[in-house]
Structures are given as structure tokens and as C-alpha cells.
Amino acid sequence: DNMVKVFPNPSKGEFLVELNDHSFNTISVMVMNSSGEMIYQRDETEGTDRIRIDISNNPNGIYMLQVKLDGNILNKKITLIK
């Protein structure tokens, strides 16, 4: 999906979420571990085009990043390798 880019991926814990569509009112970013537990959440309002995420205090592995843009849900896998 071209609306959301996440980089670097894999990362040592810090990811940058870049939004290509600025026509939203609210954005919610969540990261879930392999058990489905939410380990990170952040909400923003319009005008944001980049969001920094730091999950470096979590163990290595694959995590699910969920981005909600005005109710539209986008999922991306991110990999943490320290």
C-alpha cells in the first residue's frame, strides 16, 4: 500500500511511519507483538505526515504495525533486530 511507508525495516527499534495522503483528520498507530498484545499506541491529528515509533525496549521479532486513517485500517509487518 502506497499510503503508508515504514522504514527502516528491519530496524534496531526505531521506525518512521510516513504518510503519503494528508487528507485525514485522525490517525492512530498501534504495534502488536506476536501474541496480539498492544505494546505501543499513539494518536495524532491532521497535519502529521511522519510519526516516529520506538519499540527498542522489546525483544527481537516480528511485530504488526496497524495504522488507522479516519477508520481505514492498514497493517504492516515490522521486524525488530538488535
Side-chain angles (χ1 to χ4, degrees), residues 52-64:
R52 289 194 184 278
I53 295 173
D54 186 349
I55 60 168
S56 58
N57 59 339
N58 290 277
N60 287 352
I62 297 174
Y63 294 82
M64 183 61 67

Side-chain angles (χ1 to χ4, degrees), residues 66-69 71-75:
Q66 185 177 84
V67 180
K68 290 183 185 177
L69 297 169
N72 296 316
I73 298 173
L74 305 163
N75 292 305

Side-chain angles (χ1 to χ4, degrees), residues 1 3-4 19 21 23-30 65-76:
D1 193 307
M3 285 179 60
V4 177
L19 308 170
D21 181 3
S23 62
F24 61 87
N25 293 314
T26 60
I27 177 173
S28 178
V29 176
M30 292 180 286
L65 171 72
Q66 185 177 84
V67 180
K68 290 183 185 177
L69 297 169
D70 287 341
N72 296 316
I73 298 173
L74 305 163
N75 292 305
K76 294 198 177 273

Side-chain angles (χ1 to χ4, degrees), residues 11-81:
S11 166
K12 293 182 178 179
E14 291 189 14
F15 296 88
L16 186 64
V17 178
E18 190 171 82
L19 308 170
N20 293 329
D21 181 3
H22 307 290
S23 62
F24 61 87
N25 293 314
T26 60
I27 177 173
S28 178
V29 176
M30 292 180 286
V31 179
M32 278 79 69
N33 64 17
S34 59
S35 301
E37 296 173 280
M38 185 171 45
I39 61 161
Y40 181 94
Q41 181 178 16
R42 183 166 166 188
D43 296 317
E44 294 287 341
T45 55
E46 68 179 315
T48 301
D49 61 354
R50 287 187 175 172
I51 298 172
R52 289 194 184 278
I53 295 173
D54 186 349
I55 60 168
S56 58
N57 59 339
N58 290 277
N60 287 352
I62 297 174
Y63 294 82
M64 183 61 67
L65 171 72
Q66 185 177 84
V67 180
K68 290 183 185 177
L69 297 169
D70 287 341
N72 296 316
I73 298 173
L74 305 163
N75 292 305
K76 294 198 177 273
K77 287 183 181 175
I78 56 176
T79 304
L80 174 60
I81 300 174

